[in-house]
Each structure stands twice: as C-alpha cells, then as structure tokens.
Amino acid sequence: MGLLLLLGTFLGLMVAGVPVAFALGIATVAGFLYEGLPLFVAFQRILSGISVFSLLAIPFFIFAGELMLQGGIAARLVRLAAAAVGAVRGGLGLVNVASSMLFGGISGSAVADTSALGSILMPVMKEKGYDPDYSVNVTVTSSLAGVVIPPSHNMILYAVAAGGISVSKLFIAGIVPGILMCLCLGVAAYLVAVKRGYRSETFPGWAFLLTSFVVAIPGLLTAIIIVGGVLSGIMTVTESGAVGAIYAIVVTALVYRELTWEKFRQAVLRAVITTSLVMILVGCASAFAYLLALYRVPELLAAGLTFVSDNPLVILLMLNIILLALGMIMDMAALILICTPIFLPVMISIGVDPIQFGIIMMMNLGLGLCTPPVGACLFVGCVVGGVKIQDAVRTIWPFYTAILVALLLTTYVPAISLTLPNLIE
C-alpha cells in the first residue's frame, strides 16, 4: 500500500500538471507520513542528495553553455560545418547534424542546441527551399548530441545516482556512441533530402574552409579544455567546469567581442534558473529514491525481468523499451535520478558495465526529449520553426529510426562505449 500511495501520488500530480520536482517532493512526504517516519529524515535525504561535490560542476557547465549560446560561438560552428559538408546533396541537413555535433559537444545541452542552431539554420533552410518539417526534424533529433557527447551535465547526474562512478570515464565513453548517432542521423538526413529533391550548396573552397576552421578554434577549445582537463587528471570535473566557464567569458567577450553586458546578464539569469531547477529535482529525487529502496523496488523489478526471461539480450531489450516509454512521459533528469538506483543493479547482475549502461540510458532518455507528449526539444524546435507538433511528428520517423539503430548497436556491442574508457585505465 505504501508503494502504491507513493507512485499513485506522484503520477496523479504529474497528470495534474505539477512540476516533476514538486511532484516527487509531495509524494515523498506522503510516503513518509504513511510509514510513520520522521520528516527530518526526508529533509536529510534531500540535503544529502545535493551535498555532492561533483554536482558543483553542473552550474559551471550550464553557465558555460549559456555564454556560448549568447556569445556567437554557435554561428561560427555553423559556418565551419557549412563549409565542410554543405556541398553534399541536401547539404544543409548535414550541416545541421554536424553543427549539433560540434555545438552540442561544447554546450552539453540538447535544448540549448535546438534553440541556438534552430534560430540560425531554420530560416536559412526555409530560404533555400527545405520543407519546414524537415528542418525541425533534423534540428531536434541531432540536438541529442549534447546529451551523449561530453561534456554533459546529465552524465554527472547519472554518476552521482550510480554511487559515484568515474565521470571522466563516462565522458570519454560517450564520444564514439555520440559520433555514431550523428553519422546515422546524417545518413537519414541525406536519404530524406534525396527523396524530397533538395539541392546541394556550392563548395566555398578550401581557403574558406580553412579560414572557418581557424575562426572556430577558440570555441572548439572550450570542449577540449573541459574534457581534456578531466581526462588528463589535471583538473576535477568541477574545476574543469569552472575553467571552461571562465574561458567562455574570455572567448565571447574579448576574442569574438559579441558578449555584451545584457547578454552576460541573460546568461547568468538563465544559468541560475536552470541550476536551481536541477538541484531541487536532485534533492527531491534522492528522498524519493530512499523510499523506493525501502520498498525493495529494485529487487522486485529484477525478479520481474528475470521471470520473463533470463537471457541478458532479452533483458536489455526490455530495459530499452521501458526507458523509451518512460522518456516519453517524464523529464530526463528526473528519470536518471529515479531509474538509475532501480535498473543499475539489474544491469550489473547480467554483466553490463555501469559505464555502458550510463550511455544506454543517455541515448534512451535523450530520445524522449524529441518525442511527444513532453519532449522539450521537440516543443522548442516546433516553436522556432513555426511548425505544428503533429506535422513534425508525422515525418520524423526516419530520424527516430537512425537514433534507434545507434542505440541498439551501443546496447549490444559493448566495445562501442567501453573501448575508449578501458584505454585510459
């Protein structure tokens, strides 16, 4: 009855439109009252959930991403991608994917990627004769690069929820799956462009390509500084995030000279709001997960999955289906914090490495950002592109298929996500 009350209260509040963090908190309080547990324990769990040193990196990553969004880095990355792949048939679709791979790997945010690149590329694609739904679809789905390719603050949440596994290994583990996913999306974008008869752009020449690369180098170095500092052992994740944010200020204000005081103020404000939401969510989810553990939910779920089948391949397939379904109806950060303590023991029991499972979870839940009814990236992309959600979803299936292909390869070929982390051991 206690578990039913906990989950029923949470789902009921979600349906009523209560924000996820508050729904988790209220459901947790209801569970503690039902069990007769002192509420100060819930308060302690909330505080312990956010009193983790690694979480200090999140506000720095978010702030750095906002600075790059406001300071002109995105526009220069788009110019570089256009010079490199724009001459291919339907080249602006590939430019979109390549830009997302570059910018998402720097900002670490799929929603920021959708907003920034969508605002730049969608008007150009419309002017060049691309259908609005195609522009939205390729922009929205390619933004998932920000979730998988490091640095990603969602990976930090997973590392904390998983009991403190190596963030640096998670970062490097996402490189190959992220590139693989972008390659699959590039193929889908190309095939759809050929089918619809979109034309290619003129190659601007090697001199322009080289110039675009040189101009984009200061922005690209942001990701190298953040990820390289962690992998080299010179800096912790938190220190690399702080250095990355400082470097982003220097580049956007002194090198590119596009970061005005008003843009800086907007970056600070948006970073504070986003960080506050994330920390409230982390604290409430930590207390919620305490009750899930009290009710032995991980053990019950493991028993249920193994009852259906004891084949690891089948269990992995069932897990992917469950995560995909959950990703369609809940916020990604909340799901990471709730599902990791539940599913990770099951994965370890069938021999799946926690690092690989982290990447599988990033890709699964990331896809939920592009699916109705609560896909944040889908909503932002449709607003920026001026397209109805139903019109975008009607033609987005080739891009969903591309992401699923990359997901299945990452799931069933462990070397894709584990080779690079194993090399740094």
Side-chain angles (χ1 to χ4, degrees):
M1 284 301 297
L3 179 60
L4 291 177
L5 174 66
L6 180 71
L7 298 180
T9 303
F10 172 65
L11 294 176
L13 291 171
M14 286 283 294
V15 172
V18 177
V20 176
F22 296 126
L24 287 170
I26 295 171
T28 300
V29 171
F32 270 80
L33 291 175
Y34 177 81
E35 295 295 338
L37 297 171
L39 287 180
F40 76 82
V41 177
F43 183 69
Q44 287 178 335
R45 297 304 305 179
I46 292 174
L47 288 181
S48 65
I50 60 177
S51 300
V52 179
F53 182 74
S54 297
L55 291 178
L56 284 174
I58 292 179
F60 291 126
F61 284 159
I62 293 173
F63 185 42
E66 291 293 341
L67 288 169
M68 289 180 277
L69 178 63
Q70 301 284 342
I73 289 179
R76 287 164 175 81
L77 295 178
V78 168
R79 187 183 307 158
L80 171 61
V85 299
V88 181
R89 181 74 175 271
L92 286 181
L94 298 181
V95 169
N96 207 318
V97 175
S99 299
S100 291
M101 187 167 66
L102 295 173
F103 183 71
I106 295 176
S107 70
S109 170
V111 176
D113 187 343
T114 304
S115 176
L117 299 183
S119 300
I120 296 171
L121 282 169
M122 286 185 191
V124 178
M125 295 178 77
K126 181 179 180 180
E127 180 183 333
K128 298 291 184 179
Y130 289 76
D131 295 318
D133 63 317
Y134 176 85
S135 303
V136 169
N137 290 342
V138 71
T139 302
V140 167
T141 53
S142 64
S143 69
L144 299 193
V147 173
V148 183
I149 296 177
S152 167
H153 66 264
N154 287 299
M155 289 185 180
I156 299 175
L157 293 179
Y158 171 77
V160 171
I165 66 174
S166 172
V167 176
S168 60
K169 286 189 176 182
L170 269 176
F171 277 1
I172 198 171
I175 294 175
V176 176
I179 294 174
L180 174 64
M181 183 176 66
C182 289
L183 289 175
C184 291
L185 285 170
V187 171
Y190 173 77
L191 294 177
V192 174
V194 170
K195 182 179 179 180
R196 296 192 181 189
Y198 299 146
R199 59 189 177 85
S200 60
E201 302 299 313
T202 304
F203 180 61
W206 293 104
F208 184 84
L209 175 60
L210 179 61
T211 302
S212 300
F213 175 71
V214 172
V215 171
I217 284 177
L220 293 171
L221 284 177
T222 309
I224 296 175
I225 289 173
I226 293 174
V227 179
V230 174
L231 298 182
S232 65
I234 298 175
M235 295 179 282
T236 65
V237 175
T238 303
E239 291 166 347
S240 68
V243 172
I246 294 172
Y247 178 77
I249 293 175
V250 173
V251 170
T252 54
L254 302 181
V255 179
Y256 292 154
R257 299 180 180 274
E258 291 194 20
L259 185 67
T260 63
W261 174 251
E262 177 59 26
K263 290 182 178 180
F264 178 79
R265 191 185 69 83
Q266 286 295 323
V268 172
L269 179 62
R270 292 175 56 155
V272 168
I273 292 173
T274 304
T275 301
S276 302
L277 294 175
V278 170
M279 291 305 176
I280 293 172
L281 185 59
V282 169
C284 292
S286 176
F288 188 85
Y290 174 82
L291 286 179
L292 291 179
L294 182 69
Y295 292 129
R296 300 178 59 248
V297 172
E299 293 89 338
L300 294 174
L301 181 63
L305 291 175
T306 53
F307 176 78
V308 176
S309 174
D310 58 359
N311 188 325
L313 300 181
V314 176
I315 293 176
L316 279 169
L317 179 61
M318 290 190 292
L319 178 72
N320 276 322
I321 293 173
I322 292 171
L323 289 175
L324 286 171
L326 290 173
M328 295 176 66
I329 60 175
M330 278 187 64
D331 178 75
M332 181 177 183
L335 284 173
I336 292 172
L337 296 166
I338 295 171
C339 293
T340 299
I342 297 175
F343 291 125
L344 184 57
V346 180
M347 293 296 99
I348 293 175
S349 69
I350 63 173
V352 176
D353 190 285
I355 299 293
Q356 182 191 5
F357 175 62
I359 303 304
I360 292 173
M361 178 172 278
M362 294 300 111
M363 298 177 74
N364 266 299
L365 302 184
L367 184 56
L369 297 173
C370 305
T371 57
V374 295
C377 290
L378 180 62
F379 290 159
V380 171
C382 288
V383 170
V384 174
V387 176
K388 295 181 179 179
I389 292 178
Q390 56 267 33
D391 293 336
V393 172
R394 192 177 297 119
T395 56
I396 202 173
W397 65 266
F399 301 96
Y400 284 164
T401 303
I403 295 173
L404 289 174
V405 168
L407 171 61
L408 290 175
L409 287 173
T410 304
T411 300
Y412 292 112
V413 185
I416 291 177
S417 56
L418 295 180
T419 299
L420 289 181
N422 290 338
L423 290 176
I424 67 171
E425 285 185 344

